[in-house]
């Protein structure tokens, strides 16, 4: 199977998430990195190309230059990953879609809902993929949870408790020159703080796993570290269209937590619990029975694209890689004029990206209205 | 050491919480059960006296009869435990306090704040104990958590996440004749549902451990099981007087949970986490260090009144017994005209009972006002 | 129900295990302490009687004096608990059995197998109870494990992994004057070290839960702390009569462990895992299914005599109390000339005590023979 | 940085471990697969080359053909991975070493110690790498454990408890045509069963982490599934040259376990515990302190080559990839005539492979001698 000709926008020297995308694509094995704009700094782009074994001639100074040159080649890029700062996601994704090139965009899709809606429309018009890497949907046990719920295991949904606490911003790290802290706490670059960075993941997983829509939110949005100018702790009450209730907590000041992303879903007949720091396990409870600790590899659980035997831990990269597998399948299916395999549709795309933007905006609005219930 | 002459109001045949109080008192060893009104049914009271090895002559048909007879004896009861249905707590506790007899009352103290306030006042006037058995305060590791926070380990409080999920009322159990479900879901007998039964414990523990006051609440109060006439799921946002934030979740429909009472407290310098189903452990995190799993028996942890070596699990009865130890110390100190040992003051009394009633009323009010922030 | 008239031999001021027996008996509520030889020091016995609310006239200077006086009373003791140092268990238990008084003896039953065998015989001749408090058999989830295995859940037994690590003797604590460390590391008083103190519990639980007999052992018996004169770490290979295999590890030098008594049993169709520091849980695995985390209170689990709802942790005292409940039932049944309830037969008696002595002797013999396989 | 020109021997269609090696190499990014003998079946080799995007001209029918052709090219392979059945490891590794090509060999290195010793010698003579993928040494927290112990945290070693239970061979799976079960239970292909497959990993980790040598073993080697002709359960007592004691258990019949590889190390001043199914955590206990749950990312922990932030789980592939990183560094250092970075020396090589063979042979010998102590 010929690998897809792949480009990267962003992801040069020292970039965290760019390196993750690359490892994910490599584990999958269906992508060959052949071109890119690895940095806004042309020199850095050249150096990155060298380090990444990419032909320096295909390391471009700008998206426009890249599109022009690559469209002119018979072996031009087929798909690009956009891993630049959040505010660049919209124009860059739009440019590639306009050029008929499939796009994999890091989350968040944009910095506001109108832009997100435009991208949804554009991807549909151009019939191109606009995948968004809400990576937790790549975990096999998350997909298993979604399937069990879709199959009716827990019956009518009643309560959802979602949370994503971290502790790394418990001090004013952004004042120390730390790069990750810097842009993530800058309202201009990041839009929202804990809410956008991690609350977004939590919300996305809630709707992904339950298959239900949150209809309104009541939120207490706080900057708890003195001197911080963006939210670092968000407590949100949730109401679902179906009448279910819940809450969502995202925090970057919860000392001791690394990425303690947790989802607990309760229905009339059972419950499902998941915790990102032990992503290979799912606690499944059917009413009237003892809890089951279902592990990847136990009977009935799905196989990941990496396909390790159960008990050989798969983690963050493998889940990320699953999305790349899914995106490759969808791009390839189009190139081959066939339907993609159903499982590949689990991977989130522009509609999900737009939905998450709407959530973020509703939470911020509720926060400004002293936690009044606000529709998404 | 002579045991205290002890009476019980309620706690006859088949009563759950009465049996717990008795085991707690026996483990402590400082109480001798000598009299009681074990049931509103005089026959049942007699039978219970027999089963409990109490002189049948001191098994009374009413609180009034008991007070009259016992006050007339040189060896009359010194302290009574009130373990009757909630709406009886107020008149019965008041009657014994009026008679100068110390009272240990099961929670909730009353069914409304005016009554609770009257009891606070009455106990003060009569200089008698009105202990309230918020039993989770008896766990050694909860006291250790309180002490660590009081000593400044976590610094300024920032976030509190409290929860108490159960799953036993996920169906309309109250329609099946089950006794515990019956009275606990009857608004007339119970006042509030999940909120009063378990949310109260969660709130009480929040203020006990942090040493801070919740100033206002925004609550979503729900009856999620169709046909139920009282709340069975409550999601509450918390704001503290100090500016800290948090949330509290109490639910009786979370299938799979037994008594998953959990408290997580985050400050500017560290965090403390506790979980009732593993009550002997505390996760203690100091900023910049790996989490510590502190177990009862590890250096610096307090000794319970039962004083088992660490690793020999103490549980619910032992924690309950700790309160009885504390109450015995306070009664004995008064009888001996001395100050009680400081540790005995950890055990909650009428003021705590009144505070919890105020919380319950604020949550219900917020719930009726579509989750508007409401002062406690 | 009239409580049994109960005496204690040992268990005076400052005794750890005596206090545990008392709490266990009190929680049960079927015992009234009326007499005793609480110490070998008559003064201490008197003081203890006072503290325990026992008539000083029934606080005796010797077992002989106690038997003579109590037999002469119409309301003499019916059952005694022997909680003296190990080497006194044999003569004292024998004396009470000879006098027709039921005995509850702390473990180990004796310090050698001939004595243990004599007690087995004597109890049978006198038709009296000689209960031995191997307390871990009192945990409801241990009894549940035994029942599941007896019912065939795991099929033919294959492997047993048993262990009981502690860390408290990782230094020469016995040289510091610490009382518990002193007698437990003195070969004359204790017979064996880690092997006798905790390895005995581990072995007893293996045979109790599996219902099978260990036929031979190969043991490496070590004193790992320089200067210690008794074993503090024992690694034992096990072979069962049925052909199953396994190992047993007991250690007092495993720093960090409190009482990490663990039992894992594997059969041809499933497995059962238990851990004393979380005694309310059992991991139950049936071949081809995900593990179940069965908690006391889940469907099908037994009720303890304390009968708390699941999720209200029962612990060490409650398990100990279960044995006292069982012993009370067996004594009462004899007094009432009826058969005891079947469940009360779970509580270990002299035969178990003798079996454990045989295990200890076989392990020591194997250890002296450079780990040669040695029959029990 | 130019990637190394890399070849594979084995690892064609359907091969589990070959795919793992490829993912590991790709994640690392320092290897470019350019040639191979992917199967003993030449057709399969061709098909595999196609699937792997390797020039079909460099897909060879035999090792000899590959060496001849590649040595003749200016851009011939620099390093090969040998992932064939165990009995092929020796001749194939030897052939490449003889040709001056670096080798990464899957474990076990050979099927007997003389062959292993020859390879140790040959690699030394030829000054080439002979890396062996004992992959658990690639976990960051395993390296952290080794470092803590080397730094003296636990002092003198006292006890080691090692185990590696699995449950997948609890039935005669080898009779069903399952490929993995087939060759792993065939004495001719595998040499030893549970002992060689997983006991080898457990032993290797014991010596790697403690930095000490096991001097003798006493082993009970069993085939517990009726009809099986190779060991599926091994219980081993360990004695260390330093006087420390321990045990090792490897089983493939422990139903419910996936890859429950666990290592517990106890010294005079502390303990370290690790569990492969939660590989990112280490329990570290210093005498007199509460246990610490140290997670990758906590202060003082090492960075893996993948370098994910703590709490983003790294797993099996990432650990495997770490070895490939280390091997790449060692090969590159030689090519560049410099010393390799110290950390790269953690990755096991031929000496480790030979040591493990000696362990396996000692255990089998002890097993045949009714568990007599046998020197390694």
């Amino acid at each position: 199977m010929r690998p897809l000709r792949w480009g990267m926008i962003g992801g040069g020297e020292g970039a965290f998430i760019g390196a993750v995308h690359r490892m994910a694509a490599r584990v999958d094995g269906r992508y060959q990195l052949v071109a890119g704009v690895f940095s806004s700094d042309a020199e850095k782009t050249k150096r990155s190309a060298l380090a990444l074994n990419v032909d320096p001639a295909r390391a471009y100074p700008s998206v426009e230059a890249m599109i022009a040159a690559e469209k002119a080649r018979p072996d031009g890029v087929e798909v690009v990953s956009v891993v630049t700062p959040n505010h660049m996601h919209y124009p860059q994704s739009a440019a590639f879609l306009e050029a008929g090139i499939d796009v994999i965009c890091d989350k968040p899709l944009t910095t506001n809902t109108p832009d997100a809606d435009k991208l949804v429309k554009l991807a549909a018009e151009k019939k191109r993929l606009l995948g968004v890497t809400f990576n937790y949907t790549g975990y096999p046990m998350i997909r298993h949870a979604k399937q069990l719920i879709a199959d009716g295991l827990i019956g009518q949904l009643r309560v959802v408790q979602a949370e994503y606490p971290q502790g790394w911003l418990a001090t004013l790290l952004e004042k120390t020159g730390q790069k990750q802290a810097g842009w993530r706490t800058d309202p201009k670059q990041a839009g929202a703080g804990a809410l956008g960075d991690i609350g977004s993941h939590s919300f996305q997983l809630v709707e992904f796993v339950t298959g239900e829509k949150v209809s309104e939110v009541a939120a207490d949005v706080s900057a708890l570290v003195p001197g911080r100018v963006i939210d670092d702790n968000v407590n949100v009450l949730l109401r679902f269209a179906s009448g279910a209730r819940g809450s969502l907590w995202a925090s970057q000041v919860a000392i001791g937590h690394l990425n303690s992303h947790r989802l607990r879903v309760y229905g009339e007949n059972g419950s499902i619990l998941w915790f990102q720091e032990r992503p290979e396990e799912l606690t499944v409870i059917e009413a009237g029975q003892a809890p089951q600790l279902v592990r990847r590899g136990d009977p009935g659980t799905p196989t990941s694209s990496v396909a390790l035997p159960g008990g050989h831990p798969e983690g963050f990269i493998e889940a990320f890689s699953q999305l790349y597998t899914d995106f490759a399948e969808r791009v390839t299916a189009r190139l081959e004029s066939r339907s993609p395999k159903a499982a590949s549709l689990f991977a989130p795309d522009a509609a999900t990206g737009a939905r998450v933007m709407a959530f973020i905006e509703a939470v911020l609005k509720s926060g400004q209205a002293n936690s009044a219930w606000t529709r998404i």
Side-chain angles (χ1 to χ4, degrees), chain A:
Chain A
M1 189 176 51
R2 180 180 67 76
L4 294 167
R5 296 185 300 269
W6 179 48
M8 289 195 89
I9 317 305
E13 289 173 352
F16 159 61
I17 203 67
V20 165
H21 280 251
R22 261 194 308 274
M23 284 190 280
R26 277 184 204 144
V27 166
D28 176 58
R30 258 162 279 201
Y31 296 81
Q32 185 166 11
L33 184 62
V34 296
V37 185
F38 301 112
S39 169
S40 53
D41 171 343
E43 270 317 294
K44 223 169 161 182
T45 286
K46 288 290 175 198
R47 281 201 309 274
S48 296
L50 204 66
L52 294 168
N53 209 30
V54 166
D55 177 357
R58 296 174 81 177
Y60 301 97
S62 72
V63 164
E64 293 69 31
M66 176 171 167
I67 290 174
E70 291 290 320
K71 291 299 283 184
R73 297 176 66 114
D75 63 348
V77 293
E78 294 166 304
V79 53
V80 296
S81 290
V82 174
V83 294
T84 48
N86 297 354
H87 64 290
M88 300 303 293
H89 291 181
Y90 171 67
Q92 294 174 338
S93 295
F96 283 100
L97 288 174
E98 289 282 1
I101 293 171
D102 295 280
V103 176
I104 298 167
C105 184
D106 202 66
K107 54 84 31 184
L109 179 55
T110 63
T111 59
N112 59 66
T113 53
D115 284 354
D117 292 341
K118 280 186 227 159
L119 287 179
V120 172
K121 214 172 141 198
L122 184 59
E125 282 171 12
K126 298 293 176 179
K127 299 194 191 329
R128 287 297 177 274
L129 172 75
L130 177 47
V132 186
T133 50
F134 285 103
N135 51 288
Y136 301 107
T137 57
Y139 278 121
M141 297 314 280
I142 281 293
R143 294 183 175 197
H144 189 47
K146 181 183 178 62
Q147 193 62 53
L148 290 174
I149 290 173
D151 291 348
L153 184 98
I154 69 169
Q156 177 74 37
L157 182 69
R158 284 184 175 162
V159 182
V160 177
Q161 296 292 117
E163 62 184 43
Y164 197 149
Q166 299 179 324
W168 70 297
L169 289 176
T171 60
L172 270 184
L173 194 60
E174 60 265 45
K175 297 290 163 68
T176 66
Q178 210 262 13
K179 183 187 162 186
Q180 290 289 332
W183 76 261
R184 285 180 205 260
T185 59
D186 176 359
K188 274 185 233 103
Q189 290 182 73
L195 172 61
D197 197 20
I198 52 180
S200 57
H201 278 297
S202 181
F203 169 78
Q204 192 268 333
L205 213 57
V206 165
E207 292 201 341
F208 180 79
V209 169
T210 63
E212 300 217 11
K213 295 291 176 198
V214 175
S215 55
E216 53 180 341
V217 293
D220 201 15
V221 179
S222 314
L224 294 177
V225 174
R228 180 155 294 150
V229 294
I230 202 166
D231 63 282
D232 54 18
N233 188 80
V234 183
N235 282 103
V236 188
L237 300 179
L238 307 174
R239 286 179 181 161
F240 290 77
S242 66
R245 303 302 165 105
S247 77
L248 184 154
W249 173 47
S251 183
Q252 293 164 326
V253 303
I255 291 174
H257 289 296
L258 297 171
N259 283 285
S260 303
H261 188 182
R262 190 185 294 268
L263 178 64
R264 298 181 289 178
V265 177
Y266 305 92
E268 65 178 333
N269 297 327
S271 309
I272 294 188
L273 319 176
W274 180 82
F275 180 43
Q276 200 267 150
E277 296 184 7
R278 291 179 189 164
E280 302 263 270
E281 303 172 1
L282 211 58
T283 301
V284 176
I285 306 146
E286 295 185 67
Q289 296 185 25
Q292 279 200 303
L293 186 72
V294 183
R295 304 156 302 180
R296 189 178 55 73
D298 277 324
T301 57
T303 302
S304 69
S305 59
V306 166
L308 292 184
H312 282 159
E314 296 182 6
F316 186 85
I317 296 289
E318 288 79 2
F320 222 107
S321 175
Q322 178 69 54
L323 297 191
Y324 267 83
T325 302
D326 296 334
F327 294 143
E329 165 63 12
R330 282 153 77 171
V331 171
T332 305
R334 183 179 55 75
L335 294 175
E336 298 178 350
S337 302
R338 61 169 174 81
S339 294
K341 288 177 198 154
S344 73
L345 302 177
F346 278 129
D349 54 23
T352 301
R355 178 79 187 151
V356 171
M357 288 313 304
F359 167 75
I360 291 173
E361 291 184 2
V363 168
L364 291 175
K365 197 171 154 199
S366 174
Q368 285 152 8
N370 199 28
S371 314
W373 283 104
T374 303
R375 299 202 66 79
I376 299 189

